[in-house]
Amino acid sequence: MAHSAGGASGLLRLVTAGSVDDGKSTLIGRLLHDANALYEDHLEALRKAAGGAGRELDFSLVTDGLRAEREQGITIDVAYRHFSTPKRRFIIADTPGHEQYTRNMATGASTADVAVILIDAQLGVVTQSKRHGFICSLLGVPRAVIAVNKMDLVGYREAMFNAIREEYSNFAARLGFVDLGFIPVSALQGDNVVSRSDRMPWYVGPALLPHLEDMYVGGDANLIDFRFPVQRVVRPDQHFRGYSGQVASGVVRKGDEVVVLPSGKRSRIERIVTFGGDLDYAFPPLSVTLCLSDQVDASRGDMIAHPHNVPRAERAIEAMLVWMSDTPLKVGRSYLIKQTTASVKASCVNILYRVDPDTLHRASARELGLNDIGRVRLTLFRPLLVDEYTKNRATGSFILIDLVSNATVGAGMIIERLVAPEPAATSTSPTASSHIVYQVGKVSTRERIKLLGHEPATIWLTGLSAAGKSTIAFELERRLITAGHACAALDGDNFRHALNRDLGFSPANRRENIRRVAEVAKLFNEAGLIVVTAFISPYREDRELARSIVGPERFVEVYLSADLATCEQRDPRGLYAKARAGEIPDFTGVSAPYELPVAPDVTLDTEREGIDECVRKLFELISQRFT
């Protein structure tokens, strides 16, 4: 993706989404019409379709340009519109609302700075509203505006708007939006689209267009990590040699030292050439030709970067994948990965789970069907130069191409791997000796469930130190035992006193710590127990590793939400004070990061909710799902 490097006055890419008949196309048509952004021939076509001048215009026809769309009454592809106001330039992607066209919706969202998600005020928050929010969050859209449409059909009542805002805010709290706004509108009548409406005096915020005009997106661009995928080598004569492509991220200046990957050859930028003349520096999304001071061999698919900030060379990647083909993705099949300008053959070795976009729950899966979204592991026939998608959309994304039909069948977003050289061992990894054989007992899982009166489960509590993990884990254990359920609580300190006493707190050691805990939890689950764990487990990758070991159907990720200031104020053992004094290195929240869960199964606000309330919620969840 190429972001504008400017502020609020630069280009803004927005994607519209919503359920069928929520009024997306009408909203865009009204927006363009009221902003005086329609050409006269477009207006004449609308008047003609309405039956002549003076008739009410159907603004949905502005974007629904395909005859088949009009006949079916639904948008079936992504329609793009460009327009400008005195304050800003816009590109709008109007995406399909029907769940069958998730792939098209993902296409529109992949380059967006903001998502405008429509919700019908009459229907409220429906599953598609949640699906579109999840997909936009997954695709890295950093901000969203929820346009509660058709307010005219509910009498412009504030209570209807507030109910939708509260329900969707609670859902979106589990997503990764950095900015979430709500605007009540009537696309048909034009209320709060371009200018404030007198019909909703209770709403004190801006109308939609002014809100988008003033939105700052300059901070989205990654100007730190210089990445320049080579598209072609330009050699018109013996006196000129350059490497053409688009700056994916970062800034490059004349005289900078660079490295060409994967060869590792170093040189310096001698010239930055464009059609309009040489530049002193370049940034995304400029297309330029770089000339180096040395004769360095490079070709399409190579990458130029700064030598002390390079992407990872990976032979195996994990990614969130949106599947776009009628033929399902299956383990063992090979495809062609196209990432930036590079292409490499790859094989799917594991489908870790499939995500239900409506509930955000994960489930085990043997294949991904059309429009499914899941986490997969791929092995590559040669290394790719990659970054995590959340840090760099260009080098962190790829498409999968069918080797036979040459059709695009999937779009992927690469997930950060903390231990790059080799994946950590899991229950499916080969053992150290081929003579070791996993032994299966004579007691079945069904017999254990019948005996104990519940299904096994692992309740994984994660959060900062002093967020309340151990306290809640042991209280929940007591509550479950009292109710007659076989349960065991696993605490982080207890593990490091014994089984994991040989591990430190580096990212690699933390990962191994969590792997061992997950393997123990799995063994306890196989014995029929409910397991409650209390581990900071600060890295998303480690928590997902634990989920894959235990099994998605048994794993419940519970995020104990308490901010750093609250945890430091509690600090029952004085650990934060010691960490800030330098006595405890690699302490989460102070000198080591904590990665917030993207979509935890449960969030407990331990700043505001007491222990009894948190335990009650978890007990009820276990009772509903596992007993």
Side-chain angles (χ1 to χ4, degrees):
M1 172 185 176
H3 282 87
S4 168
S9 61
L11 173 66
L12 183 75
R13 294 176 172 86
L14 63 99
V15 58
T16 61
S19 299
V20 176
D21 295 329
D22 275 352
K24 302 180 302 300
S25 299
T26 300
L27 177 67
I28 294 175
R30 168 66 74 174
L31 182 67
L32 296 172
H33 177 270
D34 290 4
N36 299 316
L38 291 179
Y39 294 112
E40 185 58 37
D41 58 336
H42 293 162
L43 287 171
E44 184 59 33
L46 292 179
R47 297 188 191 105
K48 184 177 180 180
R55 299 289 186 90
E56 186 173 325
L57 303 181
D58 183 355
F59 293 111
S60 68
L61 300 181
V62 173
T63 54
D64 286 352
L66 299 176
R67 177 175 297 177
E69 293 177 84
R70 300 183 188 178
E71 291 174 351
Q72 297 178 43
I74 59 173
T75 305
I76 61 174
D77 206 342
V78 183
Y80 292 93
R81 295 288 302 193
H82 299 245
F83 79 100
S84 299
T85 69
K87 296 185 69 173
R88 156 164 263 162
R89 294 184 298 122
F90 297 89
I91 298 177
I92 305 176
D94 180 28
T95 64
H98 198 281
E99 65 178 343
Q100 293 180 1
Y101 303 111
T102 297
R103 53 185 175 178
N104 303 83
M105 193 263 160
T107 299
S110 63
T111 57
D113 302 303
V114 58
V116 178
I117 301 173
L118 276 78
I119 296 179
D120 190 326
Q122 300 176 104
L123 303 177
V125 178
V126 298
T127 55
Q128 278 298 88
S129 309
K130 297 178 179 179
R131 175 184 289 265
H132 292 144
F134 168 70
I135 294 173
C136 288
S137 174
L138 177 69
L139 269 292
V141 181
R143 52 189 68 80
V145 179
I146 310 303
V148 182
N149 193 24
K150 303 186 182 181
M151 289 297 297
D152 54 312
L153 299 183
V154 296
Y156 298 101
R157 295 200 303 274
E158 181 181 7
M160 302 293 288
F161 172 74
N162 288 341
I164 292 172
R165 179 174 58 184
E166 181 178 1
E167 181 178 354
Y168 203 84
S169 294
N170 291 335
F171 168 76
R174 301 159 64 187
L175 304 178
F177 295 121
V178 298
D179 184 10
L180 181 67
F182 293 82
I183 301 177
V185 303
S186 170
L188 188 64
Q189 303 299 327
D191 297 293
N192 283 342
V193 177
V194 170
S195 57
R196 288 277 302 277
S197 171
D198 295 333
R199 295 173 174 140
M200 290 175 278
W202 44 265
Y203 173 69
V204 297
L208 179 61
L209 181 60
H211 179 66
L212 296 175
E213 285 180 323
D214 294 335
M215 186 172 286
Y216 178 75
V217 299
D220 292 352
N222 181 345
L223 301 178
I224 303 299
D225 308 312
F226 172 56
R227 306 287 187 262
F228 186 82
V230 176
Q231 185 172 0
R232 63 189 295 258
V233 180
V234 180
R235 191 75 185 274
D237 55 55
Q238 61 180 347
H239 303 294
F240 185 94
R241 184 186 184 93
Y243 307 98
S244 294
Q246 185 179 63
V247 180
S249 63
V251 179
V252 62
R253 293 174 173 83
K254 184 178 178 180
D256 278 0
E257 184 182 16
V258 294
V259 59
V260 178
L261 301 171
S263 69
K265 299 293 184 181
R266 295 194 181 193
S267 185
R268 291 192 178 274
I269 301 294
E270 189 172 76
R271 294 178 61 190
I272 303 175
V273 182
T274 71
F275 183 77
D278 284 15
L279 302 176
D280 291 328
Y281 62 93
F283 52 85
L286 291 179
S287 294
V288 299
T289 298
L290 300 181
C291 297
L292 306 182
S293 57
D294 302 287
Q295 294 293 322
V296 177
D297 287 332
S299 59
R300 178 181 176 86
D302 290 353
M303 188 174 294
I304 300 175
H306 288 140
H308 301 296
N309 182 344
V310 297
R312 307 193 319 265
E314 293 285 5
R315 284 187 175 272
I317 58 175
E318 287 188 12
M320 295 300 297
L321 191 69
V322 179
W323 194 247
M324 301 179 172
S325 173
D326 292 318
T327 303
L329 170 75
K330 292 185 177 180
V331 173
R333 288 188 177 174
S334 295
Y335 303 89
L336 185 70
I337 281 186
K338 187 177 187 307
Q339 177 251 7
T340 62
T341 59
S343 297
V344 59
K345 192 176 178 182
S347 177
C348 177
V349 296
N350 197 3
I351 300 174
L352 300 176
Y353 57 80
R354 180 176 58 232
V355 180
D356 182 344
D358 305 328
T359 64
L360 303 185
H361 289 159
R362 302 174 177 92
S364 58
R366 295 185 177 181
E367 62 181 34
L368 295 182
L370 177 64
N371 294 315
D372 277 348
I373 300 171
R375 179 164 176 163
V376 302
R377 184 175 292 130
L378 305 169
T379 58
L380 314 177
F381 284 47
R382 62 177 176 82
L384 270 183
L385 299 166
V386 303
D387 293 292
E388 182 186 7
Y389 182 78
T390 57
K391 297 178 181 178
N392 194 318
R393 287 198 195 182
T395 55
S397 62
F398 62 87
I399 60 173
L400 285 182
I401 300 172
D402 185 86
L403 292 171
V404 177
S405 66
N406 205 37
T408 299
V409 293
M413 288 122 311
I414 295 169
I415 298 170
E416 181 69 74
R417 289 174 60 222
L418 296 174
V419 184
E422 292 291 339
T426 69
S427 57
T428 59
S429 300
T431 57
S433 171
S434 60
H435 302 294
I436 298 174
V437 179
Y438 190 89
Q439 301 297 317
V440 179
K442 295 183 178 181
V443 181
S444 69
T445 300
R446 185 54 51 191
E447 287 179 275
R448 296 182 192 276
I449 293 173
K450 184 178 180 180
L451 173 67
L452 298 173
H454 62 253
E455 295 182 7
T458 293
I459 313 301
W460 191 279
L461 306 185
T462 176
L464 291 171
S465 179
K469 298 180 299 300
S470 296
T471 303
I472 292 174
F474 290 129
E475 286 293 333
L476 180 59
E477 180 188 42
R478 165 47 58 194
R479 179 80 180 271
L480 289 166
I481 292 292
T482 301
H485 300 305
C487 174
L490 306 180
D491 181 77
D493 281 2
N494 294 350
F495 259 69
R496 287 188 177 275
H497 267 291
L499 180 63
N500 294 346
R501 66 170 59 188
D502 59 321
L503 298 177
F505 293 89
S506 68
N509 280 339
R510 286 182 186 273
R511 182 178 179 86
E512 175 60 14
N513 180 56
I514 296 306
R515 187 193 71 81
R516 294 181 190 178
V517 173
E519 294 287 2
V520 171
K522 179 183 178 182
L523 290 174
F524 279 21
N525 283 168
E526 290 177 348
L529 276 67
I530 296 173
V531 178
V532 185
T533 73
F535 292 81
I536 293 174
S537 46
Y539 297 113
R540 297 190 193 103
E541 186 77 7
D542 295 355
R543 297 192 294 267
E544 292 306 321
L545 172 64
R547 183 187 296 273
S548 68
I549 291 172
V550 172
E553 71 283 354
R554 293 179 176 176
F555 191 91
V556 179
E557 184 182 43
V558 181
Y559 170 48
L560 303 194
S561 175
D563 64 25
L564 182 61
T566 300
C567 293
E568 284 201 68
Q569 186 177 8
R570 293 172 178 169
D571 202 14
R573 292 182 289 169
L575 299 180
Y576 283 99
K578 293 179 181 179
R580 294 202 180 279
E583 297 176 25
I584 305 178
D586 298 321
F587 191 82
T588 303
V590 177
S591 53
Y594 179 81
E595 297 178 351
L596 294 175
V598 175
D601 300 294
V602 179
T603 297
L604 298 177
D605 186 353
T606 58
E607 288 184 47
R608 297 172 178 83
E609 296 177 322
I611 295 172
D612 290 343
E613 177 65 12
C614 292
V615 171
R616 182 190 64 79
K617 289 183 177 180
L618 292 179
F619 184 85
E620 289 180 354
L621 179 143
I622 293 169
S623 299
Q624 292 169 4
R625 288 183 56 180
F626 301 105
T627 63

